[in-house]
Amino acid sequence: MAKVVFKSYNPNDSLLLPPCLGDYLPQNHPVRVVSAIIDRLDLSEIESDYKGGGASSYNPKMLLKVIVYAYLNNVYSGRQMEKLLIENIAYMWLSGMQTPDFRTINIFRSKRLANKFDKIFTQIVLLLNEEGLVSLKVQYIDGTKIESVANKYTFVWKGSTEKNKAKLEANVKAVLESAEQALAMETAEEQQELTSEEMARRADRILEKMDKEGISDKELRKAVNKVKTESAAKQKEYEDKLETLGDRNSYSKTDPDATFMRMKEDAMNNGQTKPGYNVQISTENQFITNYGIFWRPNDQGTMIPYLKSFESRFGMQSEEVCADSGYGSEQNYAHMISEGITPYVKYNMFHVEDHRKYKNNPFLPRNMYFNAADNYYVCPMGRHLKHIYDTKSKSDLGYVSVISVYRSVSCEGCPLRGMCYKGKAPYREIDVNHQADEYKAYAKGLLTSERGLYHRSSRPVEPEAVFGDIKFNHGFKRFRLKSNVKVNVEFGLVALAHNLRKYIAIERMRSNAVGSCL
């Protein structure tokens, strides 16, 4: 039997020459790509934030490399990054054997990068553009809700706040008016809203008169004192909450920028709302070219500010935009067309209109004959619905639409009346938004064209696939930082890591193709 020989093993063995960490990393290792790309970036804006004096600071380029590479490998915790810097050769090489602790990493991520990360992300996208990987001429846009780190039971609702505030005002007003009448004081003028300052001022005025005239009504004094010490403070709390809410319906006490939304990841399947953010992205060739964080749960209200953010980021606007029916509104179409954008954007009835039941229904306004010259519709029985007047409708975003109202002279005795409309009035009345209908017809023509069919088939494998990769393949389903500014940095890092992962995969394919040719 042959003698078994084992290789020499001594964990504490000294080396004649100190090894170089780079020797242990292959030339095509992802960490080298991350380092090389970030070395090309201009970080002067971040560096200018550092103040001289005192102890030396860690190089911001090194910290950025460590954080980006960590996100590339699904590591989102500062403590875990600190651990890897002393255990993992790739991190040790990347940091030059420096070991910043988790506090330093977290402060750099949440404070140093705040309001500055957008420019870093933009530089990366422009590098991709230089290499021909993205053209920036088309945007595939979609959104998803990502949960905030805030506790889901720390909600503040606008409806209940306004209700409690109005109830408190009514009770306080009754107490103050009763006290002022008992002291023969002039009652304050009726105000639309009784503010916390006004409550305290009127209570002080009443107590001052009671002290001056030696009135010892204990019950009255107790009630007025309660208004001054408790009710005014509670009213100030309601005022602050409504100020924080703004146009929103809710927010979280532990993350005031987060709004309560319904999430796709609903473990209980009961439609429970959770604090979160509506994250919008643009993709091209599955690279993320733009992103935005919004409080509005619906996508429709985010599109215009989002498109403006793309233009602000790159100093130009894309030529084409492709999105689903959640974005198809009159206001959005008007904005895109005015900006010279070709809108391959569905509207909510795009697919329904092709159903047989809908196309063959002669009583729908869109299927009736319309005489544009004389401005009237003709019903299936040949009766005219004449234009009566125009009215304006204002959306919750402030956009004003013009609605034209058409009415038949009389529908009495019509054999088709029961099929035409269910109202009790002797005539049928229809509301038509001609401008919106024109935009929809234009969008439908684009979407059913050869180019439109290409975009419609590409959209599911563009932003939807990217969100699926980020959430399910890389486990990013919940933010770890609070506030809109910090969340913007956090998702920016996720988007940057996604782009680098894809770039690294493409570079490997290129090098393999070259190697096979050689």
Side-chain angles (χ1 to χ4, degrees):
M1 180 177 177
K3 184 180 178 181
V4 178
V5 179
F6 293 104
K7 294 184 183 294
S8 176
Y9 170 66
N10 183 2
N12 296 316
D13 196 11
S14 349
L15 298 173
L16 182 61
L17 294 174
C20 174
L21 289 176
D23 294 342
Y24 295 99
L25 297 171
Q27 288 302 314
N28 63 347
H29 196 283
V31 73
R32 293 185 183 275
V33 179
V34 171
S35 180
I37 289 178
I38 293 180
D39 279 337
R40 297 170 63 182
L41 303 182
D42 177 12
L43 303 183
S44 57
E45 189 172 340
I46 296 175
E47 292 169 357
S48 64
D49 256 5
Y50 285 83
K51 297 178 181 178
S56 59
S57 301
Y58 286 107
N59 193 311
K61 188 167 288 188
M62 179 273 289
L63 290 170
L64 181 61
K65 288 180 181 180
V66 169
I67 293 173
V68 169
Y69 184 65
Y71 271 70
L72 194 77
N73 291 283
N74 310 332
V75 177
Y76 310 118
S77 163
R79 290 180 184 271
Q80 187 66 20
M81 293 179 203
E82 177 188 2
K83 183 180 179 183
L84 289 167
L85 283 168
I86 59 176
E87 294 181 353
N88 188 290
I89 291 177
Y91 286 87
M92 294 164 71
W93 175 84
L94 195 60
S95 67
M97 293 294 291
Q98 296 180 30
T99 56
D101 62 14
F102 73 92
R103 293 183 184 86
T104 303
I105 293 170
N106 288 339
I107 289 172
F108 180 81
R109 175 173 55 177
S110 63
K111 294 184 179 179
R112 296 287 187 186
L113 293 180
N115 298 316
K116 296 179 178 63
F117 187 80
D118 274 351
K119 291 188 177 179
I120 295 172
F121 180 81
T122 303
Q123 290 181 66
I124 298 288
V125 176
L126 291 176
L127 289 176
L128 297 173
N129 176 251
E130 288 176 11
E131 296 200 21
L133 296 172
V134 295
S135 67
L136 302 180
K137 293 181 179 180
V138 60
Q139 293 183 70
Y140 292 94
I141 299 176
D142 201 5
T144 191
K145 278 84 170 176
I146 297 182
E147 191 177 347
S148 166
V149 70
N151 189 312
K152 64 183 178 181
Y153 298 111
T154 58
F155 45 77
V156 174
W157 297 100
K158 190 172 189 177
S160 60
T161 301
E162 288 177 336
K163 180 181 177 181
N164 292 333
K165 181 173 176 287
K167 187 177 179 180
L168 177 66
E169 283 181 24
N171 292 337
V172 169
K173 192 176 291 186
V175 171
L176 294 177
E177 288 179 356
S178 176
E180 287 166 345
Q181 290 174 6
L183 299 174
M185 294 173 65
E186 183 179 347
T187 303
E189 294 182 5
E190 185 70 23
Q191 293 183 327
Q192 191 172 7
E193 180 183 357
L194 187 59
T195 65
S196 57
E197 292 180 358
E198 180 65 12
M199 284 182 185
R201 188 187 67 78
R202 287 174 67 177
D204 280 335
R205 193 162 62 96
I206 293 169
L207 292 171
E208 185 180 343
K209 182 162 185 179
M210 291 181 73
D211 292 337
K212 186 176 180 180
E213 297 183 3
I215 300 174
S216 59
D217 189 333
K218 292 183 180 179
E219 290 297 322
L220 182 60
R221 183 178 291 275
K222 182 179 178 182
V224 176
N225 263 321
K226 185 176 180 181
V227 169
K228 180 182 176 181
T229 58
E230 297 181 22
S231 300
K234 195 67 178 175
Q235 181 74 345
K236 182 67 168 64
E237 181 185 327
Y238 290 143
E239 290 169 355
D240 291 342
K241 286 180 178 179
L242 290 173
E243 184 179 355
T244 302
L245 282 161
D247 294 330
R248 294 183 292 169
N249 288 324
S250 62
Y251 75 86
S252 169
K253 293 177 185 176
T254 51
D255 184 5
D257 287 346
T259 305
F260 279 76
M261 309 175 181
R262 298 192 191 280
M263 304 286 173
K264 287 184 179 178
E265 294 80 24
D266 186 2
M268 300 299 292
N269 200 26
N270 59 1
Q272 183 184 24
T273 57
K274 296 178 182 178
Y277 296 88
N278 187 353
V279 179
Q280 299 288 311
I281 63 169
S282 300
T283 67
E284 184 183 355
N285 297 327
Q286 291 192 351
F287 284 103
I288 299 175
T289 55
N290 189 30
Y291 66 92
I293 309 295
F294 297 89
W295 62 262
R296 290 186 181 277
N298 66 316
D299 294 332
Q300 189 180 103
T302 67
M303 189 168 210
I304 293 176
Y306 181 71
L307 289 175
K308 289 180 178 178
S309 75
F310 184 95
E311 187 172 8
S312 175
R313 185 186 293 279
F314 299 111
M316 55 167 282
Q317 188 56 269
S318 54
E319 298 172 2
E320 299 173 319
V321 165
C322 182
D324 63 20
S325 59
Y327 300 86
S329 70
E330 179 187 355
Q331 182 179 7
N332 290 342
Y333 286 131
H335 176 79
M336 286 185 282
I337 292 170
S338 67
E339 293 293 315
I341 301 171
T342 306
Y344 294 93
V345 179
K346 296 178 184 177
Y347 46 92
N348 57 0
M349 295 292 287
F350 176 75
H351 292 291
V352 178
E353 288 177 349
D354 292 331
H355 293 173
R356 184 184 302 173
K357 184 178 179 180
Y358 191 89
K359 290 173 68 175
N360 296 338
N361 186 347
F363 304 104
L364 294 176
R366 69 177 300 274
N367 293 331
M368 292 182 184
Y369 171 76
F370 176 61
N371 187 315
D374 295 327
N375 198 15
Y376 66 83
Y377 283 85
V378 180
C379 77
M381 285 299 292
R383 300 184 183 184
H384 290 191
L385 285 81
K386 296 182 179 179
H387 178 254
I388 305 300
Y389 60 89
D390 288 335
T391 185
K392 292 183 178 180
S393 173
K394 191 173 183 180
S395 71
D396 59 341
L397 299 173
Y399 185 77
V400 178
S401 300
V402 177
I403 309 298
S404 298
V405 180
Y406 295 84
R407 184 186 298 166
S408 62
V409 177
S410 176
C411 294
E412 292 183 356
C414 176
L416 302 179
R417 176 177 168 174
M419 301 169 62
C420 186
Y421 74 101
K422 305 297 181 182
K424 295 182 179 180
Y427 53 80
R428 184 182 178 186
E429 194 171 273
I430 60 174
D431 299 337
V432 180
N433 185 337
H434 289 293
Q435 185 62 72
D437 288 345
E438 286 181 18
Y439 288 144
K440 290 176 181 178
Y442 175 60
K444 191 177 184 71
L446 290 172
L447 290 163
T448 53
S449 67
E450 185 177 349
R451 182 69 174 167
L453 293 172
Y454 168 76
H455 281 315
R456 285 167 59 188
S457 63
S458 299
R459 192 189 64 79
V461 296
E462 279 283 346
E464 292 183 9
V466 170
F467 275 135
D469 182 57
I470 288 172
K471 282 187 168 184
F472 299 101
N473 294 340
H474 300 285
F476 192 86
K477 298 182 180 180
R478 191 182 190 193
F479 289 111
R480 288 157 175 79
L481 302 180
K482 297 178 182 179
S483 82
N484 194 78
V485 173
K486 295 178 182 179
V487 161
N488 187 77
V489 172
E490 189 173 8
F491 188 80
L493 287 165
V494 171
L496 178 55
H498 169 83
N499 285 350
L500 291 180
R501 272 193 298 266
K502 188 164 180 62
Y503 177 79
I504 290 167
I506 291 174
E507 285 299 298
R508 281 181 176 171
M509 290 173 63
R510 286 175 176 174
S511 62
N512 291 338
V514 171
S516 62
C517 291
L518 296 176

